[in-house]
Amino acid sequence: MLLPPRLTPARVKRDRRYRTLDKYRFVIGFLSLPLLFYAIFVISPFVQAIYYSMTDWDGGSAANFVGLDNYQKLWNDDRFWDSAKTSVTLLVVAPLITLALGMFFAYMIMAGGRYRKGQAVAGVFGSTFYKIVYFFPQVLSIAIIAVVWMRVFSTRSGLLNGTLGALGLDGLEQPWLGGEYNLALFATLTVLCWSFVGFYVVLFSAAMGAIPHDLYEAALLDGAGRTKTFFKITLPLIWDTVRTGWIYMGIQALDSFAIVLVMMPDHALKVTPVFLYQRFREGQFGYATSIGVVLLVVSVVFSLIIMRVGNRDRIEY
């Protein structure tokens, strides 16, 4: 009869070490291929972009290393700063408007209906249909959206000016796309927010739907109305979702390339992605790549700021 081996402290320690090694071998073996693909297709392009931003590459001849000359040129380029001012404005304002509208519509869908028997908070009738309608712009190409809104804002035959004229408000008609900077900025913000607000309606509706109704019932028993319930219960419990959405919308606002390029005349509005594209068309590949690296840094810094400023203790429910 075979007896089990005696478990000495040394043997227990050795067996524990072997199990740990086996665990790490499994993890490394499981992640090695995905990490390899990630390094090739994600990390490698970033490294190449940083390298080419320090060269005078024109897309054809050999790239000569010039150090930080492109960044110095960028620092002294007034056209870049003009475009950066517009991009930063979109970065700050577009998330504020889009997320505010998204939360408002989502809360109305989820809690804006009349009180029903057995339900402390009820959504409006046909809430599923409203979610589909709000989400519809997400299935359209951004280029198609820009073309449609270009016709809406058209000076002569546009729907907006035509409607104002039909209502006798001719004095409010404006050259929205080719006139003043503020008008072009307003048009761009309108299209940008309209394009993405539906996504946040669905996102915030899903987050609000996960909140237990017992919390709303307790708030109603304490005499809280819908407004107070939103700020005291709903918003704190979906804050992580709001913070993530803020970062995503900020990046989308910073990358407003297609909307401005398709919808705006060349002189109406300048944003940094379009300024980058124009440098590529001129064959200044190294200079254009340095602009792309700056956009990358701005995106990372913006994300870190939102993660830091919006950091709160997680509420479990």
Side-chain angles (χ1 to χ4, degrees), residues 107-125 127 213 216 220 226:
Y107 192 63
M108 290 297 101
I109 289 175
M110 300 300 296
R114 295 181 177 178
Y115 297 126
R116 301 170 190 170
K117 186 177 180 180
Q119 289 184 301
V121 174
V124 297
F125 178 76
S127 58
H213 281 226
Y216 290 117
L220 290 175
R226 281 195 174 93

Side-chain angles (χ1 to χ4, degrees), residues 131-148:
K131 291 178 187 177
I132 295 173
V133 172
Y134 283 128
F135 192 77
F136 178 71
Q138 288 293 305
V139 304
L140 298 177
S141 166
I142 194 67
I144 294 176
I145 291 174
V147 170
V148 171

Side-chain angles (χ1 to χ4, degrees), residues 71-274:
Y71 294 97
Q72 184 178 0
K73 179 181 177 181
L74 199 63
W75 181 264
N76 297 318
D77 195 335
D78 292 335
R79 297 174 301 171
F80 166 74
W81 289 110
D82 289 340
S83 67
K85 180 185 71 172
T86 305
S87 292
V88 171
T89 302
L90 294 175
L91 177 65
V92 174
V93 178
L96 285 174
I97 298 175
T98 307
L99 269 66
L101 290 175
M103 282 189 284
F104 173 76
F105 291 135
Y107 192 63
M108 290 297 101
I109 289 175
M110 300 300 296
R114 295 181 177 178
Y115 297 126
R116 301 170 190 170
K117 186 177 180 180
Q119 289 184 301
V121 174
V124 297
F125 178 76
S127 58
T128 302
F129 172 75
Y130 288 124
K131 291 178 187 177
I132 295 173
V133 172
Y134 283 128
F135 192 77
F136 178 71
Q138 288 293 305
V139 304
L140 298 177
S141 166
I142 194 67
I144 294 176
I145 291 174
V147 170
V148 171
W149 279 95
M150 180 176 63
R151 301 302 305 167
V152 171
F153 284 115
S154 177
T155 303
R156 295 183 178 180
S157 58
L159 177 63
L160 181 56
N161 280 346
T163 303
L164 292 174
L167 295 175
L169 301 174
D170 300 26
L172 297 179
E173 295 182 11
Q174 301 288 343
W176 302 98
L177 302 181
E180 298 179 1
Y181 169 83
N182 291 335
L183 294 176
L185 183 63
F186 168 78
T188 303
L189 278 171
T190 300
V191 179
L192 196 60
C193 296
W194 181 87
S195 302
F196 291 99
V197 70
F199 172 81
Y200 292 101
V201 171
V202 176
L203 179 67
F204 294 147
S205 296
M208 293 176 187
I211 299 175
H213 281 226
D214 296 345
L215 299 177
Y216 290 117
E217 292 176 358
L220 290 175
L221 290 175
D222 289 339
R226 281 195 174 93
T227 303
K228 191 171 183 179
T229 301
F230 173 78
F231 286 104
K232 295 296 184 180
I233 295 178
T234 305
L235 184 58
L237 292 179
I238 67 169
W239 183 252
D240 287 344
T241 305
V242 173
R243 185 175 60 176
T244 302
W246 198 299
I247 294 173
Y248 178 73
M249 186 59 207
I251 294 174
Q252 292 294 333
L254 197 63
D255 183 25
S256 53
F257 170 75
I259 292 176
V260 175
L261 186 68
V262 174
M263 194 173 68
M264 296 289 174
D266 290 339
H267 63 279
L269 195 69
K270 300 294 185 182
V271 291
T272 306
V274 174

Side-chain angles (χ1 to χ4, degrees), residues 51-52 54-66 283 285-286:
Y51 167 73
Y52 282 115
M54 298 182 182
T55 67
D56 61 354
W57 187 44
D58 60 3
S61 59
N64 299 315
F65 188 79
V66 295
F285 285 71

Side-chain angles (χ1 to χ4, degrees), residues 25-39:
R25 289 194 191 99
F26 172 78
V27 172
I28 293 173
F30 187 78
L31 294 179
S32 58
L33 187 59
L35 288 176
L36 178 62
F37 277 99
Y38 185 81

